[in-house]
């Protein structure tokens, strides 16, 4: 078994070993049931400590890649979930198999900060102690009170629980808002901007209107004055990486009040993107403008948690509650109480601080190791400005981009495309790392570093100009 391990790599030796074995399974070099070298033999082969190999094997066993039994060779797990791999010209009639899971590097509103399973279990145990009651479609009073307190402490928002409506996530929250506004709406969206929620709008029969955006957010003087609503992400301007400054926010709110346009503020990821206090929400600054704020728990607590909320005026919240009683599927009472426990216990705020540290570490690894490596290979790699960990990769030729993407896909990594994020976009690849779990981040970095190193060696062997 050949593994490409380097002491100069940004990832640790055990992480590289695990990534190489995953890659061998993904490309068919190793199949379920195949034996792998013993920890002692592989350590001697790679000239590294046996402890590093043991650490890597333990990780892979925990992930279900390896099966170890007393007195028997360690093997790729025979019951590893696999899918058939397309046959190639060099394959025999027996089809190889590859692991089903892939790592998506497409931009995502998620983050790497899911709370620990033990913390979740404790919250659920506390929530399950209470007897069941009739489900409130607007949300359990306990959770709405916890959200109000959390937003007061984390965002300096003075709210009452009656201004909060619990939803099944941001998409359902947006659907309820649009239903409350009427039919045949003209809804403005940021361009460029994150695709996220904009896809919901045409599904409900409304018109999407692209609105020009610069590094400070939507350009207010360029906004059409016949919009019914405007969906904005003032605290996460994509792909610029900044937040809308207060003067632009004030200008936008004045425009909204004058044109009687409802502002829908998507507040995702806000608390996780700033090492200092985040910007105030538009709703906390609004005077005469009608502003509704969409919040979600998926970025702060867990990506698997389909729960969110809408912050609105008391009158608008009453309308949303009525709509949700007809359209919305109630979020589980136990889930709501578990979230309330996590908010009241300070878990959410501690999680955000831990995520800040991890995102800073990831950004440092990308800036110090991956970006220079890509640039040496003739790829113009740039970190998206701000606190995030997204990379844009621009290639000299479309064929080079396609070949690079194909190599990553073969290794189990799925790239994002700049052209899919907004209209009139470029042709760069976009790689997002903030939403990955720790092991997936390390694996992705190892794959990318390996593929780029191979590309540079190939260019050097052929006498190519790697600086393009």
């Amino acid at each position: 078994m050949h593994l490409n391990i380097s002491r100069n790599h940004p990832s640790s030796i055990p992480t590289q070993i695990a990534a190489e074995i995953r890659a061998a399974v993904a490309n068919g070099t190793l199949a379920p049931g195949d034996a792998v070298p013993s920890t002692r033999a592989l350590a001697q082969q790679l000239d590294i400590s046996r402890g590093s190999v043991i650490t890597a094997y333990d990780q892979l066993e925990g992930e279900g890649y390896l099966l170890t039994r007393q007195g028997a060779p360690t093997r790729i797990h025979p019951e590893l979930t696999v899918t058939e791999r397309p046959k190639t010209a060099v394959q025999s009639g027996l089809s190889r198999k590859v692991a089903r899971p892939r790592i998506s590097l497409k931009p995502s509103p998620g983050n790497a900060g899911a709370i620990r399973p033990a913390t979740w279990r404790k919250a659920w145990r506390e929530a399950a102690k209470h007897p069941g009651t009739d489900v409130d479609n607007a949300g359990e009073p306990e959770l709405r009170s916890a959200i109000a307190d959390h937003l007061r402490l984390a965002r300096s928002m003075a709210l009452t629980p009656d201004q909060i409506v619990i939803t099944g996530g941001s998409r359902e929250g947006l659907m309820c808002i649009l239903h409350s506004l009427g039919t045949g709406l003209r809804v403005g969206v940021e361009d460029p901007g994150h695709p996220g929620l904009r896809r919901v709008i045409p599904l409900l029969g409304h018109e999407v209107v692209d609105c020009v955006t610069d590094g400070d957010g939507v350009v207010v003087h360029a906004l059409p004055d016949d919009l019914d609503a405007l969906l904005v992400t003032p605290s996460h301007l994509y792909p610029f990486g900044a937040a809308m400054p207060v003067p632009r926010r004030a200008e936008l709110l004045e425009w909204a009040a004058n044109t009687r346009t409802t502002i829908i503020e998507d507040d995702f990821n806000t608390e996780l993107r700033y090492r200092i206090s985040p910007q105030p929400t538009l709703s906390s600054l609004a005077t005469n403008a009608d502003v509704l704020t969409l919040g979600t728990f998926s970025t702060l607590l867990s990506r698997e948690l389909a729960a969110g909320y809408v912050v609105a005026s008391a009158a608008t919240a009453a309308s949303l509650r009525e709509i949700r009683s007809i359209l919305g599927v109630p979020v589980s009472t136990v889930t709501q109480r578990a979230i309330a426990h996590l908010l009241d216990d300070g878990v959410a705020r501690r999680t955000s601080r831990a995520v800040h540290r991890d995102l800073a570490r990831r950004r440092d690894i990308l800036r110090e190791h991956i970006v220079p490596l890509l640039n040496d290979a003739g790829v113009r790699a740039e970190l998206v400005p701000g606190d995030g960990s997204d990379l844009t990769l621009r290639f000299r030729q479309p064929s080079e981009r396609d070949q690079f993407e194909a190599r990553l896909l073969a290794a189990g990594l799925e790239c994002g495309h700049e052209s899919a994020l907004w209209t009139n976009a470029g042709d760069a690849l976009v790689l997002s790392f903030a939403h990955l779990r720790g092991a997936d981040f390390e694996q992705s970095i190892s794959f990318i570093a390996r593929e780029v190193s191979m590309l540079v060696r190939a260019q050097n062997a052929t006498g190519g100009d790697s600086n393009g």
Side-chain angles (χ1 to χ4, degrees):
M1 182 173 66
H2 175 72
L3 302 182
N4 187 19
I5 304 299
S6 172
R7 288 182 171 82
N8 296 323
H9 194 279
S11 298
S12 66
I13 296 295
T15 297
Q16 293 182 62
I17 294 171
E20 288 286 305
I21 292 176
R22 294 189 199 100
V25 172
N27 64 31
T29 304
L30 289 173
D34 286 351
V36 297
S38 67
T39 55
R40 190 181 305 278
L42 187 58
Q44 292 175 347
Q45 174 189 328
L46 299 176
D47 191 24
I48 59 175
S49 71
R50 187 185 177 198
S52 294
V53 182
I54 292 174
T55 299
Y57 277 20
D58 285 346
Q59 175 66 32
L60 291 170
E61 183 178 11
E63 295 174 6
Y65 275 87
L66 294 181
L67 176 65
T68 59
R69 289 176 177 169
Q70 186 70 28
T74 299
R75 299 183 181 276
I76 303 299
H77 203 300
E79 297 179 4
L80 180 66
T81 302
V82 295
T83 185
E84 294 295 331
R85 185 186 183 201
K87 294 181 181 180
T88 66
V90 298
Q91 283 182 300
S92 66
L94 294 176
S95 174
R96 282 287 190 177
K97 298 179 178 181
V98 296
R100 184 187 301 278
R102 289 189 182 275
I103 299 174
S104 177
L105 300 181
K106 291 182 177 180
S108 167
N111 69 88
I115 63 172
R116 293 175 296 177
T119 306
W120 256 125
R121 288 193 294 270
K122 178 182 177 183
W124 275 81
R125 284 196 300 270
E126 291 296 323
K129 288 179 181 178
H130 304 282
T133 58
D134 293 337
V135 176
D136 186 341
N137 282 319
E140 292 294 303
E142 180 182 358
L143 177 56
R144 289 189 280 119
S145 294
I147 293 172
D149 285 342
H150 171 74
L151 293 177
R152 175 177 57 83
L153 294 172
R155 306 299 303 283
S156 300
M157 296 174 66
L159 300 171
T160 64
D162 288 342
Q163 293 178 255
I164 297 169
V165 177
I166 304 302
T167 68
S170 295
R171 284 178 173 81
E172 187 189 89
L174 177 59
M175 290 172 62
C176 290
I177 290 173
L178 295 178
H179 278 300
S180 74
L181 296 178
T183 59
L185 306 175
R186 282 172 51 82
V187 183
V189 298
E190 297 165 328
D191 183 32
H194 199 283
L197 295 178
R198 67 177 290 161
R199 297 168 181 164
V200 174
I201 299 168
L203 291 178
L204 299 178
H206 305 303
E207 179 185 357
V208 175
V209 181
D210 291 317
C211 299
V212 178
T213 307
D214 62 17
D216 288 338
V218 289
V219 180
V220 177
H221 66 78
L223 287 170
D225 57 9
D226 60 346
L227 295 178
D228 297 293
L230 175 64
L231 175 64
V232 293
T233 57
S235 296
H236 190 165
L237 301 175
Y238 194 88
F240 304 106
M244 183 183 289
V246 171
R248 180 69 66 87
R249 292 174 184 239
E251 183 185 7
L252 175 61
L253 292 172
E254 182 179 3
W255 171 87
N258 292 336
T259 60
R260 297 187 177 181
T261 303
T262 298
I263 300 294
I264 305 171
E265 178 182 19
D266 182 9
D267 203 39
F268 82 93
N269 261 19
T270 298
E271 295 162 65
L272 301 182
R273 299 186 61 254
Y274 300 95
R275 299 175 210 179
I276 58 175
S277 297
Q279 293 272 17
T281 62
L282 291 175
S283 58
S284 66
L285 299 174
T287 52
N288 297 322
D290 185 16
V291 179
L292 297 95
T293 299
L294 289 167
T296 179
F297 301 110
S298 63
T299 57
L300 189 61
L301 299 177
S302 171
R303 286 178 291 162
E304 288 76 28
L305 190 61
Y309 57 90
V310 177
V311 176
S313 66
T316 302
S319 176
L320 293 175
R321 282 194 293 271
E322 181 178 355
I323 291 171
R324 194 165 195 284
S325 68
I326 300 172
L327 299 176
V329 177
V331 178
S332 160
T333 300
V334 175
T335 298
Q336 293 191 53
R337 289 175 175 171
I339 295 171
H341 175 77
L342 293 172
L343 293 176
D344 289 337
D345 203 36
V347 172
R349 290 182 290 280
R350 292 195 295 273
T351 297
S352 68
R353 290 194 292 269
V355 172
H356 290 158
R357 293 192 295 270
D358 188 55
L359 290 181
R361 180 187 69 86
R362 294 185 184 196
R363 189 174 178 85
D364 288 343
I365 290 174
L366 293 172
R367 182 182 61 251
E368 296 172 8
H369 300 284
I370 302 303
V371 169
L373 196 61
L374 286 161
N375 289 339
D376 287 344
V379 181
R380 183 154 62 92
E382 296 176 333
L383 272 167
V384 173
D387 295 334
S389 53
D390 289 5
L391 280 178
T392 57
L393 309 185
R394 303 188 188 280
F395 295 79
R396 293 168 295 190
Q397 300 292 334
S399 59
E400 295 179 353
R401 177 201 62 212
D402 295 344
Q403 291 169 7
F404 183 80
E405 182 180 12
R407 286 196 297 271
L408 291 187
L409 189 60
L413 302 183
E414 182 182 30
C415 301
H417 288 260
E418 193 177 42
S419 58
L421 297 179
W422 57 84
T423 57
N424 301 318
D427 61 355
L429 295 180
V430 180
L431 310 183
S432 182
F433 299 91
H435 63 284
L436 301 181
R437 299 187 187 279
D440 288 345
F441 173 74
E442 300 294 348
Q443 182 180 350
S444 300
I445 293 301
S446 294
F447 281 158
I448 292 170
R450 183 188 63 187
E451 294 299 331
V452 175
S453 296
M454 292 173 61
L455 177 61
V456 171
R457 286 198 296 270
Q459 290 173 342
N460 291 338
T462 57
D465 181 4
S466 62
N467 292 319

